[in-house]
Amino acid sequence: DLGADKVITITLAEDLCLIESGKEFIEKLENINRDPTSLPIISGVCPGWVCYAEKLHPYAIKNISRVKSPQQIMGSLLKLVYGPRVNHSPDEIYHV
């Protein structure tokens, strides 16, 4: 027993990430004539790579997706939606 109260899959957050990434791509594609450098869109499932890119590849920052990673989306959902339903404040919830 590791002391976890719940084990929740991240599938919902992955689906939301894909939907929002698709919307972002369509938006940038529709505006490609105004800003031809807006593509490609660089994204990843690990939020740590953004920190890596900011430090070592600052030229790529303008092409980094604005969509949160599935891990970040799930953390927000747990803290802001699930937490109040089980009477926990965001600082009482740990998402690993």
Side-chain angles (χ1 to χ4, degrees):
D1 182 22
L2 298 175
D5 293 327
K6 295 276 183 196
V7 176
I8 302 171
T9 181
I10 199 167
T11 304
L12 172 63
E14 291 170 332
D15 290 345
L16 291 172
C17 181
L18 283 172
I19 290 166
E20 291 304 312
S21 294
K23 288 179 184 179
E24 180 183 30
F25 176 74
I26 290 168
E27 178 185 308
K28 290 196 177 212
L29 189 60
E30 288 173 343
N31 294 311
I32 195 75
N33 291 331
R34 275 186 265 165
D35 184 8
T37 65
S38 65
L39 292 175
I41 300 171
I42 304 168
S43 67
V45 296
C46 176
W49 80 268
V50 173
C51 182
Y52 165 80
E54 289 172 340
K55 291 178 181 174
L56 297 174
H57 305 286
Y59 57 87
I61 291 174
K62 76 177 242 42
N63 291 88
I64 292 177
S65 174
R66 67 176 186 262
V67 178
K68 290 182 175 184
S69 71
Q71 180 184 4
Q72 291 169 305
I73 292 170
M74 195 65 195
S76 295
L77 289 173
L78 288 173
K79 289 177 178 276
L80 301 174
V81 177
Y82 176 73
R85 290 183 182 192
V86 293
N87 296 318
H88 287 293
S89 67
D91 61 336
E92 295 176 304
I93 297 175
Y94 296 91
H95 171 241
V96 293

